[in-house]
Short mmCIF file of all heavy atoms in Angstrom, two decimals:
data_model
loop_
_atom_site.label_atom_id
_atom_site.label_comp_id
_atom_site.label_asym_id
_atom_site.label_seq_id
_atom_site.Cartn_x
_atom_site.Cartn_y
_atom_site.Cartn_z
N SER B 25 -42.19 1.03 39.53
CA SER B 25 -41.99 2.38 38.95
C SER B 25 -41.70 2.39 37.44
O SER B 25 -41.10 1.49 36.99
CB SER B 25 -40.76 3.09 39.65
OG SER B 25 -40.97 3.18 40.95
N GLY B 26 -42.33 3.35 36.72
CA GLY B 26 -42.01 3.48 35.36
C GLY B 26 -41.11 4.67 34.96
O GLY B 26 -40.58 4.85 34.00
N GLY B 27 -41.17 5.65 35.98
CA GLY B 27 -40.33 6.85 35.69
C GLY B 27 -39.76 7.46 36.91
O GLY B 27 -40.41 7.45 38.01
N ALA B 99 -45.26 5.40 39.03
CA ALA B 99 -45.66 4.59 37.96
C ALA B 99 -45.57 5.30 36.66
O ALA B 99 -45.11 4.72 35.63
CB ALA B 99 -47.05 3.93 38.18
N HIS B 100 -45.99 6.59 36.56
CA HIS B 100 -46.05 7.26 35.43
C HIS B 100 -45.22 8.67 35.56
O HIS B 100 -45.19 9.18 36.56
CB HIS B 100 -47.50 7.58 35.05
CG HIS B 100 -48.28 6.38 34.80
ND1 HIS B 100 -48.10 5.53 33.67
CD2 HIS B 100 -49.19 5.79 35.64
CE1 HIS B 100 -48.85 4.46 33.82
NE2 HIS B 100 -49.54 4.58 34.93
N ARG B 101 -44.67 9.13 34.44
CA ARG B 101 -43.70 10.19 34.51
C ARG B 101 -44.37 11.48 34.97
O ARG B 101 -43.60 12.29 35.67
CB ARG B 101 -42.99 10.33 33.22
CG ARG B 101 -43.72 10.85 32.06
CD ARG B 101 -42.89 10.77 30.76
NE ARG B 101 -43.59 11.36 29.56
CZ ARG B 101 -44.52 10.71 28.95
NH1 ARG B 101 -44.98 9.60 29.23
NH2 ARG B 101 -45.05 11.32 27.85
N PHE C 31 -34.45 12.66 33.68
CA PHE C 31 -35.59 11.69 33.64
C PHE C 31 -34.94 10.28 33.35
O PHE C 31 -34.16 10.15 32.37
CB PHE C 31 -36.63 12.07 32.54
CG PHE C 31 -37.66 10.95 32.45
CD1 PHE C 31 -38.64 10.84 33.49
CD2 PHE C 31 -37.69 10.10 31.52
CE1 PHE C 31 -39.64 9.95 33.50
CE2 PHE C 31 -38.63 9.08 31.42
CZ PHE C 31 -39.62 9.00 32.43
N GLY C 33 -36.22 6.45 32.54
CA GLY C 33 -37.38 5.56 32.47
C GLY C 33 -36.95 4.23 33.04
O GLY C 33 -35.89 3.90 32.93
N THR C 34 -37.86 3.47 33.68
CA THR C 34 -37.54 2.13 34.17
C THR C 34 -38.56 1.18 33.74
O THR C 34 -39.76 1.54 33.52
CB THR C 34 -37.49 2.17 35.79
OG1 THR C 34 -38.66 2.74 36.25
CG2 THR C 34 -36.20 2.97 36.15
N VAL C 35 -38.19 -0.12 33.55
CA VAL C 35 -39.15 -1.11 33.15
C VAL C 35 -40.01 -1.50 34.41
O VAL C 35 -39.57 -2.02 35.33
CB VAL C 35 -38.47 -2.34 32.70
CG1 VAL C 35 -39.51 -3.53 32.29
CG2 VAL C 35 -37.66 -2.02 31.47
N ARG C 36 -41.42 -1.29 34.24
CA ARG C 36 -42.28 -1.60 35.34
C ARG C 36 -42.62 -2.93 35.29
O ARG C 36 -42.69 -3.66 34.30
CB ARG C 36 -43.59 -0.76 35.09
CG ARG C 36 -43.73 0.42 35.96
CD ARG C 36 -45.06 1.02 35.96
NE ARG C 36 -45.65 1.20 34.71
CZ ARG C 36 -46.99 1.26 34.41
NH1 ARG C 36 -47.83 1.11 35.47
NH2 ARG C 36 -47.35 1.53 33.17
N ALA C 38 -45.57 -4.21 35.90
CA ALA C 38 -46.89 -4.51 35.40
C ALA C 38 -47.40 -3.41 34.48
O ALA C 38 -47.00 -2.27 34.52
CB ALA C 38 -47.85 -4.61 36.67
N THR C 39 -48.34 -3.72 33.65
CA THR C 39 -49.04 -2.74 32.75
C THR C 39 -50.51 -3.13 32.79
O THR C 39 -50.98 -4.25 32.51
CB THR C 39 -48.48 -2.72 31.39
OG1 THR C 39 -49.04 -1.68 30.69
CG2 THR C 39 -48.59 -4.00 30.60
N LYS C 40 -51.38 -2.16 33.10
CA LYS C 40 -52.74 -2.35 33.18
C LYS C 40 -53.11 -3.63 34.02
O LYS C 40 -53.88 -4.53 33.77
CB LYS C 40 -53.37 -2.52 31.76
CG LYS C 40 -53.47 -1.34 31.01
CD LYS C 40 -53.67 -1.47 29.56
CE LYS C 40 -53.42 -0.23 28.66
NZ LYS C 40 -53.26 -0.53 27.27
N VAL C 44 -45.62 -7.95 33.97
CA VAL C 44 -44.68 -7.91 32.74
C VAL C 44 -43.46 -8.78 33.18
O VAL C 44 -42.89 -8.53 34.23
CB VAL C 44 -44.29 -6.45 32.53
CG1 VAL C 44 -43.19 -6.42 31.40
CG2 VAL C 44 -45.53 -5.70 31.99
N ARG C 46 -40.61 -9.09 30.87
CA ARG C 46 -39.56 -8.34 30.31
C ARG C 46 -39.96 -7.57 29.10
O ARG C 46 -41.19 -7.71 28.71
CB ARG C 46 -38.38 -9.32 29.89
CG ARG C 46 -38.80 -10.30 28.74
CD ARG C 46 -37.55 -11.16 28.32
NE ARG C 46 -37.97 -11.86 27.21
CZ ARG C 46 -38.71 -12.88 27.04
NH1 ARG C 46 -39.41 -13.40 28.13
NH2 ARG C 46 -39.03 -13.49 25.83
N LEU C 47 -39.22 -6.63 28.71
CA LEU C 47 -39.50 -5.81 27.52
C LEU C 47 -38.36 -6.16 26.46
O LEU C 47 -37.21 -6.48 26.77
CB LEU C 47 -39.48 -4.42 27.82
CG LEU C 47 -40.49 -3.91 28.79
CD1 LEU C 47 -40.43 -2.28 28.81
CD2 LEU C 47 -41.92 -4.31 28.32
N GLU C 48 -38.74 -5.83 25.18
CA GLU C 48 -37.78 -5.78 24.10
C GLU C 48 -38.01 -4.47 23.34
O GLU C 48 -39.15 -4.17 23.05
CB GLU C 48 -37.98 -7.01 23.12
CG GLU C 48 -36.90 -8.06 23.25
CD GLU C 48 -37.17 -9.17 22.40
OE1 GLU C 48 -37.44 -8.97 21.11
OE2 GLU C 48 -37.28 -10.37 22.91
N PHE C 49 -36.88 -3.77 23.20
CA PHE C 49 -36.95 -2.54 22.37
C PHE C 49 -36.20 -2.68 21.10
O PHE C 49 -35.08 -3.25 21.08
CB PHE C 49 -36.23 -1.44 23.23
CG PHE C 49 -37.00 -0.91 24.32
CD1 PHE C 49 -36.88 -1.41 25.64
CD2 PHE C 49 -37.95 0.15 24.16
CE1 PHE C 49 -37.75 -1.05 26.60
CE2 PHE C 49 -38.64 0.60 25.20
CZ PHE C 49 -38.53 0.02 26.48
N GLU C 50 -36.80 -2.19 20.04
CA GLU C 50 -36.18 -2.25 18.73
C GLU C 50 -36.10 -0.89 18.24
O GLU C 50 -37.11 -0.04 18.37
CB GLU C 50 -37.05 -3.10 17.82
CG GLU C 50 -36.63 -3.26 16.39
CD GLU C 50 -37.53 -4.09 15.49
OE1 GLU C 50 -38.29 -4.91 16.10
OE2 GLU C 50 -37.57 -3.88 14.32
N ALA C 51 -35.14 -0.39 17.61
CA ALA C 51 -34.94 0.89 17.03
C ALA C 51 -34.64 0.92 15.54
O ALA C 51 -33.87 0.05 15.14
CB ALA C 51 -33.87 1.75 17.81
N TYR C 52 -35.06 1.89 14.82
CA TYR C 52 -34.55 2.23 13.55
C TYR C 52 -33.51 3.21 13.84
O TYR C 52 -33.72 4.44 13.83
CB TYR C 52 -35.77 2.80 12.74
CG TYR C 52 -35.52 3.20 11.33
CD1 TYR C 52 -34.30 2.83 10.63
CD2 TYR C 52 -36.45 3.92 10.57
CE1 TYR C 52 -34.09 3.11 9.33
CE2 TYR C 52 -36.24 4.31 9.25
CZ TYR C 52 -35.00 3.93 8.70
OH TYR C 52 -34.85 4.37 7.41
N HIS C 80 -30.85 6.01 24.79
CA HIS C 80 -31.88 5.09 24.72
C HIS C 80 -31.35 3.57 24.65
O HIS C 80 -30.41 3.50 23.71
CB HIS C 80 -32.93 5.35 23.66
CG HIS C 80 -34.21 4.77 23.89
ND1 HIS C 80 -34.43 3.44 23.99
CD2 HIS C 80 -35.54 5.39 24.03
CE1 HIS C 80 -35.73 3.13 24.22
NE2 HIS C 80 -36.45 4.33 24.28
N ARG C 81 -31.74 2.66 25.25
CA ARG C 81 -31.29 1.33 25.15
C ARG C 81 -32.19 0.43 24.23
O ARG C 81 -33.39 0.82 24.22
CB ARG C 81 -31.20 0.73 26.51
CG ARG C 81 -30.41 -0.57 26.60
CD ARG C 81 -30.17 -1.02 28.05
NE ARG C 81 -29.74 -2.37 27.96
CZ ARG C 81 -29.73 -3.19 29.07
NH1 ARG C 81 -30.12 -2.73 30.28
NH2 ARG C 81 -29.32 -4.47 29.01
N THR C 82 -31.69 -0.49 23.61
CA THR C 82 -32.39 -1.43 22.85
C THR C 82 -32.12 -2.86 23.24
O THR C 82 -31.23 -3.02 24.12
CB THR C 82 -32.04 -1.27 21.37
OG1 THR C 82 -30.74 -1.42 21.10
CG2 THR C 82 -32.49 0.03 20.74
N GLY C 83 -32.77 -3.80 22.80
CA GLY C 83 -32.68 -5.13 23.12
C GLY C 83 -33.60 -5.48 24.27
O GLY C 83 -34.63 -4.86 24.48
N THR C 84 -33.24 -6.58 24.92
CA THR C 84 -34.05 -7.27 26.11
C THR C 84 -33.77 -6.49 27.40
O THR C 84 -32.63 -6.43 27.77
CB THR C 84 -33.82 -8.68 26.16
OG1 THR C 84 -34.22 -9.32 24.93
CG2 THR C 84 -34.79 -9.27 27.23
N LEU C 85 -34.80 -6.02 28.04
CA LEU C 85 -34.61 -5.39 29.36
C LEU C 85 -35.53 -6.05 30.40
O LEU C 85 -36.72 -6.35 30.17
CB LEU C 85 -34.99 -3.92 29.33
CG LEU C 85 -33.84 -3.07 28.84
CD1 LEU C 85 -33.73 -3.02 27.29
CD2 LEU C 85 -34.18 -1.56 29.27
N GLN C 86 -34.94 -6.27 31.56
CA GLN C 86 -35.72 -6.91 32.68
C GLN C 86 -36.37 -5.81 33.55
O GLN C 86 -36.01 -4.68 33.40
CB GLN C 86 -34.73 -7.62 33.53
CG GLN C 86 -33.86 -8.73 32.79
CD GLN C 86 -34.75 -9.82 32.16
OE1 GLN C 86 -35.87 -10.22 32.59
NE2 GLN C 86 -34.26 -10.23 30.97
N GLU C 89 -34.73 -2.42 34.82
CA GLU C 89 -33.70 -1.90 34.10
C GLU C 89 -34.21 -0.51 33.34
O GLU C 89 -35.35 -0.20 33.44
CB GLU C 89 -33.34 -2.96 33.02
CG GLU C 89 -32.56 -4.04 33.67
CD GLU C 89 -31.71 -4.90 32.67
OE1 GLU C 89 -32.33 -5.65 31.84
OE2 GLU C 89 -30.50 -4.80 32.65
N VAL C 90 -33.21 0.16 32.80
CA VAL C 90 -33.47 1.50 32.34
C VAL C 90 -33.40 1.68 30.81
O VAL C 90 -32.28 1.55 30.21
CB VAL C 90 -32.35 2.39 32.94
CG1 VAL C 90 -32.34 3.84 32.42
CG2 VAL C 90 -32.49 2.43 34.50
N PRO C 91 -34.58 1.85 30.18
CA PRO C 91 -34.50 2.01 28.68
C PRO C 91 -34.17 3.41 28.22
O PRO C 91 -33.68 3.64 27.17
CB PRO C 91 -36.03 1.68 28.36
CG PRO C 91 -36.83 1.82 29.49
CD PRO C 91 -35.93 1.54 30.73
N VAL C 92 -34.39 4.42 29.14
CA VAL C 92 -34.03 5.78 28.62
C VAL C 92 -33.52 6.63 29.75
O VAL C 92 -34.03 6.62 30.89
CB VAL C 92 -35.29 6.41 27.95
CG1 VAL C 92 -36.52 6.59 28.89
CG2 VAL C 92 -34.99 7.73 27.27
N ILE C 112 -38.87 14.09 26.70
CA ILE C 112 -39.32 12.72 26.90
C ILE C 112 -40.72 12.55 26.30
O ILE C 112 -41.06 11.59 25.56
CB ILE C 112 -39.34 12.22 28.43
CG1 ILE C 112 -39.87 10.78 28.58
CG2 ILE C 112 -40.08 13.08 29.26
CD1 ILE C 112 -39.10 9.75 27.79
N LEU C 115 -40.19 12.57 22.55
CA LEU C 115 -39.51 11.28 22.14
C LEU C 115 -40.56 10.13 21.98
O LEU C 115 -40.53 9.37 21.07
CB LEU C 115 -38.48 10.88 23.17
CG LEU C 115 -37.60 9.63 23.01
CD1 LEU C 115 -36.21 9.79 23.62
CD2 LEU C 115 -38.33 8.44 23.64
N LYS C 116 -41.49 10.10 22.95
CA LYS C 116 -42.45 9.01 22.97
C LYS C 116 -43.44 9.15 21.78
O LYS C 116 -44.14 8.22 21.37
CB LYS C 116 -43.30 9.00 24.29
CG LYS C 116 -42.45 8.32 25.41
CD LYS C 116 -43.20 8.47 26.71
CE LYS C 116 -42.48 7.74 27.90
NZ LYS C 116 -42.82 6.32 27.94
N GLN C 117 -43.51 10.35 21.18
CA GLN C 117 -44.37 10.45 20.03
C GLN C 117 -43.72 10.33 18.65
O GLN C 117 -44.44 9.97 17.74
CB GLN C 117 -45.05 11.89 20.08
CG GLN C 117 -46.10 12.17 21.18
CD GLN C 117 -46.36 13.53 21.47
OE1 GLN C 117 -45.89 14.38 20.69
NE2 GLN C 117 -47.07 13.85 22.65
N VAL C 119 -39.98 9.34 18.00
CA VAL C 119 -38.78 8.66 17.75
C VAL C 119 -39.02 7.21 17.42
O VAL C 119 -39.67 6.50 18.21
CB VAL C 119 -37.78 8.75 19.04
CG1 VAL C 119 -36.58 7.95 18.78
CG2 VAL C 119 -37.42 10.19 19.20
N PRO C 120 -38.55 6.69 16.30
CA PRO C 120 -38.80 5.29 15.79
C PRO C 120 -38.18 4.31 16.65
O PRO C 120 -37.22 3.68 16.21
CB PRO C 120 -38.43 5.40 14.32
CG PRO C 120 -37.37 6.38 14.22
CD PRO C 120 -37.73 7.38 15.28
N ILE C 121 -38.81 4.02 17.83
CA ILE C 121 -38.24 2.87 18.63
C ILE C 121 -39.59 2.17 19.08
O ILE C 121 -40.73 2.82 19.40
CB ILE C 121 -37.61 3.46 19.89
CG1 ILE C 121 -36.25 4.21 19.40
CG2 ILE C 121 -37.27 2.34 20.90
CD1 ILE C 121 -35.35 4.74 20.57
N TRP C 122 -39.50 0.94 19.22
CA TRP C 122 -40.74 0.11 19.42
C TRP C 122 -40.50 -0.86 20.62
O TRP C 122 -39.37 -1.39 20.83
CB TRP C 122 -41.13 -0.70 18.25
CG TRP C 122 -41.49 0.19 17.07
CD1 TRP C 122 -42.70 0.72 16.84
CD2 TRP C 122 -40.66 0.71 16.10
NE1 TRP C 122 -42.59 1.52 15.76
CE2 TRP C 122 -41.41 1.56 15.33
CE3 TRP C 122 -39.23 0.50 15.81
CZ2 TRP C 122 -40.79 2.14 14.16
CZ3 TRP C 122 -38.68 1.19 14.81
CH2 TRP C 122 -39.45 1.98 13.94
N LYS C 123 -41.50 -1.00 21.47
CA LYS C 123 -41.42 -1.79 22.69
C LYS C 123 -42.43 -2.96 22.61
O LYS C 123 -43.51 -2.76 22.27
CB LYS C 123 -41.81 -0.78 23.85
CG LYS C 123 -41.94 -1.40 25.16
CD LYS C 123 -41.92 -0.36 26.27
CE LYS C 123 -43.01 0.72 26.13
NZ LYS C 123 -42.80 1.94 26.94
N LYS C 124 -41.88 -4.14 22.92
CA LYS C 124 -42.71 -5.29 23.04
C LYS C 124 -42.79 -5.85 24.46
O LYS C 124 -41.81 -5.95 25.05
CB LYS C 124 -42.14 -6.46 22.09
CG LYS C 124 -43.11 -7.52 21.74
CD LYS C 124 -42.37 -8.57 20.99
CE LYS C 124 -43.15 -9.16 19.91
NZ LYS C 124 -42.41 -10.06 19.08
N GLU C 125 -44.01 -5.94 25.02
CA GLU C 125 -44.00 -6.44 26.37
C GLU C 125 -44.33 -7.94 26.32
O GLU C 125 -45.21 -8.41 25.56
CB GLU C 125 -45.32 -5.79 27.06
CG GLU C 125 -45.05 -4.27 27.27
CD GLU C 125 -46.26 -3.48 27.92
OE1 GLU C 125 -47.42 -4.00 27.53
OE2 GLU C 125 -46.11 -2.55 28.57
N PHE C 126 -43.58 -8.60 27.17
CA PHE C 126 -43.75 -10.01 27.31
C PHE C 126 -44.45 -10.38 28.64
O PHE C 126 -44.07 -10.03 29.82
CB PHE C 126 -42.36 -10.70 27.37
CG PHE C 126 -41.79 -10.72 26.01
CD1 PHE C 126 -41.05 -9.59 25.53
CD2 PHE C 126 -41.80 -11.82 25.21
CE1 PHE C 126 -40.47 -9.54 24.36
CE2 PHE C 126 -41.17 -11.74 23.90
CZ PHE C 126 -40.59 -10.65 23.43
N PHE C 127 -45.56 -11.11 28.60
CA PHE C 127 -46.36 -11.47 29.67
C PHE C 127 -46.27 -13.13 29.86
O PHE C 127 -45.78 -13.80 28.91
CB PHE C 127 -47.87 -11.21 29.50
CG PHE C 127 -48.00 -9.74 29.14
CD1 PHE C 127 -48.33 -9.31 27.89
CD2 PHE C 127 -48.05 -8.86 30.27
CE1 PHE C 127 -48.50 -8.04 27.67
CE2 PHE C 127 -48.23 -7.45 29.99
CZ PHE C 127 -48.53 -6.99 28.65
N GLU C 131 -47.26 -11.96 24.16
CA GLU C 131 -46.46 -10.79 23.99
C GLU C 131 -47.18 -9.81 23.12
O GLU C 131 -48.13 -10.19 22.37
CB GLU C 131 -45.13 -11.22 23.37
CG GLU C 131 -45.33 -11.95 22.08
CD GLU C 131 -44.04 -12.67 21.70
OE1 GLU C 131 -43.62 -13.51 22.43
OE2 GLU C 131 -43.53 -12.32 20.60
N VAL C 132 -46.91 -8.52 23.26
CA VAL C 132 -47.66 -7.48 22.53
C VAL C 132 -46.79 -6.27 22.20
O VAL C 132 -45.96 -5.88 23.06
CB VAL C 132 -48.88 -7.11 23.21
CG1 VAL C 132 -48.53 -6.42 24.65
CG2 VAL C 132 -49.81 -6.12 22.36
N TRP C 133 -46.87 -5.84 20.95
CA TRP C 133 -46.22 -4.59 20.58
C TRP C 133 -47.02 -3.37 21.17
O TRP C 133 -48.19 -3.24 20.78
CB TRP C 133 -46.02 -4.46 19.05
CG TRP C 133 -45.05 -5.32 18.43
CD1 TRP C 133 -45.31 -6.50 17.80
CD2 TRP C 133 -43.57 -5.11 18.49
NE1 TRP C 133 -44.03 -7.06 17.35
CE2 TRP C 133 -43.03 -6.13 17.78
CE3 TRP C 133 -42.78 -4.10 19.08
CZ2 TRP C 133 -41.65 -6.34 17.63
CZ3 TRP C 133 -41.31 -4.33 18.87
CH2 TRP C 133 -40.81 -5.33 18.21
N VAL C 134 -46.41 -2.64 22.04
CA VAL C 134 -47.17 -1.62 22.76
C VAL C 134 -47.69 -0.55 21.73
O VAL C 134 -46.96 -0.09 20.84
CB VAL C 134 -46.37 -0.93 23.77
CG1 VAL C 134 -47.01 0.30 24.39
CG2 VAL C 134 -45.94 -1.96 24.83
N ALA C 135 -48.98 -0.18 21.90
CA ALA C 135 -49.54 0.92 21.20
C ALA C 135 -49.87 0.65 19.77
O ALA C 135 -50.32 1.45 18.89
CB ALA C 135 -48.83 2.30 21.28
N ALA C 136 -49.55 -0.54 19.26
CA ALA C 136 -49.69 -0.90 17.84
C ALA C 136 -51.13 -0.92 17.39
O ALA C 136 -51.50 -0.38 16.27
CB ALA C 136 -49.13 -2.22 17.50
N HIS C 137 -51.99 -1.40 18.23
CA HIS C 137 -53.50 -1.50 17.94
C HIS C 137 -54.29 -0.59 18.79
O HIS C 137 -53.99 -0.31 19.85
CB HIS C 137 -53.91 -2.94 18.00
CG HIS C 137 -53.20 -3.86 17.12
ND1 HIS C 137 -52.35 -4.77 17.39
CD2 HIS C 137 -53.28 -3.89 15.67
CE1 HIS C 137 -52.00 -5.39 16.31
NE2 HIS C 137 -52.55 -4.85 15.32
N PHE D 8 -40.19 -2.38 10.76
CA PHE D 8 -39.80 -2.45 12.21
C PHE D 8 -40.97 -2.80 13.00
O PHE D 8 -42.18 -2.53 12.65
CB PHE D 8 -39.27 -1.08 12.60
CG PHE D 8 -38.01 -0.78 11.87
CD1 PHE D 8 -38.02 0.13 10.66
CD2 PHE D 8 -36.73 -1.19 12.35
CE1 PHE D 8 -36.83 0.42 10.06
CE2 PHE D 8 -35.59 -0.84 11.72
CZ PHE D 8 -35.70 -0.10 10.52
N GLY D 9 -40.70 -3.31 14.21
CA GLY D 9 -41.79 -3.58 15.28
C GLY D 9 -42.73 -4.49 14.63
O GLY D 9 -42.45 -5.44 13.99
N ILE D 10 -44.03 -4.22 14.97
CA ILE D 10 -45.08 -5.10 14.47
C ILE D 10 -45.17 -5.17 12.95
O ILE D 10 -45.61 -6.20 12.38
CB ILE D 10 -46.45 -4.68 15.03
CG1 ILE D 10 -47.46 -5.79 14.91
CG2 ILE D 10 -46.92 -3.34 14.47
CD1 ILE D 10 -48.67 -5.58 15.69
N ALA D 11 -44.73 -4.14 12.24
CA ALA D 11 -44.66 -4.24 10.84
C ALA D 11 -43.70 -5.31 10.27
O ALA D 11 -43.95 -5.93 9.32
CB ALA D 11 -44.18 -2.90 10.22
N ARG D 12 -42.67 -5.60 11.05
CA ARG D 12 -41.80 -6.60 10.65
C ARG D 12 -42.44 -8.02 10.78
O ARG D 12 -42.33 -8.88 9.91
CB ARG D 12 -40.44 -6.58 11.55
CG ARG D 12 -39.44 -7.56 11.13
CD ARG D 12 -38.01 -7.26 11.80
NE ARG D 12 -38.17 -6.73 13.05
CZ ARG D 12 -38.42 -7.54 14.15
NH1 ARG D 12 -38.65 -8.78 13.93
NH2 ARG D 12 -38.40 -7.00 15.31
N ASP D 13 -43.26 -8.17 11.84
CA ASP D 13 -44.03 -9.33 12.02
C ASP D 13 -45.04 -9.52 10.86
O ASP D 13 -45.24 -10.57 10.35
CB ASP D 13 -44.81 -9.43 13.32
CG ASP D 13 -43.81 -9.31 14.50
OD1 ASP D 13 -42.70 -9.48 14.40
OD2 ASP D 13 -44.39 -9.12 15.69
N PRO D 75 -44.61 1.74 12.15
CA PRO D 75 -45.83 1.60 12.90
C PRO D 75 -45.89 2.50 14.19
O PRO D 75 -44.77 3.12 14.40
CB PRO D 75 -45.75 0.15 13.30
CG PRO D 75 -44.38 -0.25 13.32
CD PRO D 75 -43.76 0.62 12.34
N PRO D 76 -46.98 2.54 14.97
CA PRO D 76 -46.93 3.52 16.07
C PRO D 76 -45.75 3.24 17.02
O PRO D 76 -45.45 2.17 17.47
CB PRO D 76 -48.29 3.02 16.85
CG PRO D 76 -49.22 2.52 15.83
CD PRO D 76 -48.18 1.84 14.85
N VAL D 77 -45.05 4.35 17.36
CA VAL D 77 -43.82 4.19 18.06
C VAL D 77 -44.15 4.10 19.57
O VAL D 77 -45.28 4.46 20.09
CB VAL D 77 -42.80 5.46 17.88
CG1 VAL D 77 -42.57 5.53 16.36
CG2 VAL D 77 -43.45 6.71 18.43
N SER D 78 -43.29 3.52 20.40
CA SER D 78 -43.51 3.22 21.77
C SER D 78 -42.17 3.19 22.59
O SER D 78 -42.14 2.43 23.49
CB SER D 78 -44.35 1.86 21.91
OG SER D 78 -43.64 0.91 21.27
N GLY D 79 -41.29 4.03 22.14
CA GLY D 79 -40.04 4.12 22.91
C GLY D 79 -40.18 4.92 24.27
O GLY D 79 -41.27 5.34 24.64
N GLY D 80 -39.05 4.98 24.98
CA GLY D 80 -39.15 5.78 26.25
C GLY D 80 -39.34 4.89 27.44
O GLY D 80 -39.62 3.71 27.25
#
Side-chain angles (χ1 to χ4, degrees):
Chain B
S25 303
H100 301 286
R101 69 186 182 283
Chain C
F31 176 75
T34 53
V35 176
R36 260 197 306 159
T39 186
K40 291 167 193 156
V44 171
R46 64 179 188 283
L47 294 186
E48 250 175 58
F49 285 89
E50 179 181 336
Y52 181 11
H80 204 299
R81 193 171 163 194
T82 53
T84 301
L85 276 79
Q86 307 300 325
E89 289 196 289
V90 172
V92 64
I112 181 63
L115 180 149
K116 283 177 175 270
Q117 288 162 11
V119 174
I121 296 180
W122 298 270
K123 173 164 55 191
K124 196 187 220 175
E125 290 172 332
F126 290 79
F127 305 102
E131 53 197 62
V132 63
W133 286 104
V134 174
H137 292 111
Chain D
F8 295 95
I10 195 166
R12 190 165 35 74
D13 297 348
V77 302
S78 53

